[in-house]
């Protein structure tokens, strides 16, 4: 099935206006079945006392990318919640833009599993993580569009 670009645009709009992603300067820039790309523009608010990006910022990127990578595979009335997040920090960052790419590994009726990587502007791998997500029937987003175009 082919995703509806209007549906994806509306989801991106909802995410960009939500308080937490807005606070973090984080944007859902791409979304497809089994894939999501997130960008975050770093500023001083993302740094810990030693001048490095706080680990919680990286964890948030992995959490967000794994979530949206699974989202398009759900029934239209379903939502998700993270039940497990594991990650490894591989390299520090201090400035610029961070790029996270999430990829769905397994979609189930009640649990899904996905992974994400975080890179800096130079393409250096900063972190890798995985997430288990629980499907929540009846907790979907009503955006007024169908997820997929008719065949």
């Amino acid at each position: 099935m082919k995703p509806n670009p209007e549906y994806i645009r509306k989801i991106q709009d909802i995410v960009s206006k939500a308080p937490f992603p807005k606070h973090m300067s984080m944007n859902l820039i791409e979304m497809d079945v089994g894939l999501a790309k997130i960008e975050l523009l770093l500023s001083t608010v993302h740094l810990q006392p030693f001048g490095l990006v706080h680990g919680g910022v990286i964890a948030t990127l992995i959490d967000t990318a794994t979530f949206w990578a699974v989202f398009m595979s759900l029934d239209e009335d379903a939502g998700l919640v993270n039940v497990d997040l594991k990650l490894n920090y591989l390299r520090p960052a201090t400035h610029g833009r961070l790029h996270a790419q999430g990829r769905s590994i397994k979609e189930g009726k009640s649990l899904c599993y996905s992974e994400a990587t975080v890179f800096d502007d130079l393409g250096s791998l900063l972190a890798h993580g995985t997430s288990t997500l629980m499907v929540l029937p009846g907790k979907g987003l009503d955006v007024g569009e169908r997820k997929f175009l008719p065949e």
Side-chain angles (χ1 to χ4, degrees), residues 113-149:
Y113 187 67
S114 60
E115 69 175 349
T117 49
V118 178
F119 296 89
D120 64 15
D121 279 332
L122 299 175
S124 297
L125 179 63
L126 305 179
H128 175 267
T130 60
S131 177
T132 305
L133 300 116
M134 182 172 29
V135 177
L136 301 172
K139 298 290 185 183
L141 294 173
D142 182 12
V143 299
E145 296 286 337
R146 297 194 54 74
K147 274 188 182 182
F148 298 98
L149 296 172

Side-chain angles (χ1 to χ4, degrees), residues 20-21 23-27 38-48 52-65 85 87 89 91 93-100 116-119 126-127:
F20 187 70
H23 169 73
M24 292 293 290
S25 301
M26 186 170 53
N27 291 298
I38 311 294
E39 283 189 354
L40 185 144
L41 179 59
L42 290 171
S43 71
T44 57
V45 301
H46 297 111
L47 304 179
Q48 40 92 310
L52 303 174
V53 174
H54 191 282
V57 174
I58 305 291
T60 296
L61 278 168
I62 290 174
D63 177 59
T64 304
L85 183 66
L87 62 130
Y89 301 101
R91 180 182 205 131
T94 58
H95 65 281
R97 191 176 304 268
L98 301 183
H99 311 270
T117 49
V118 178
F119 296 89
L126 305 179

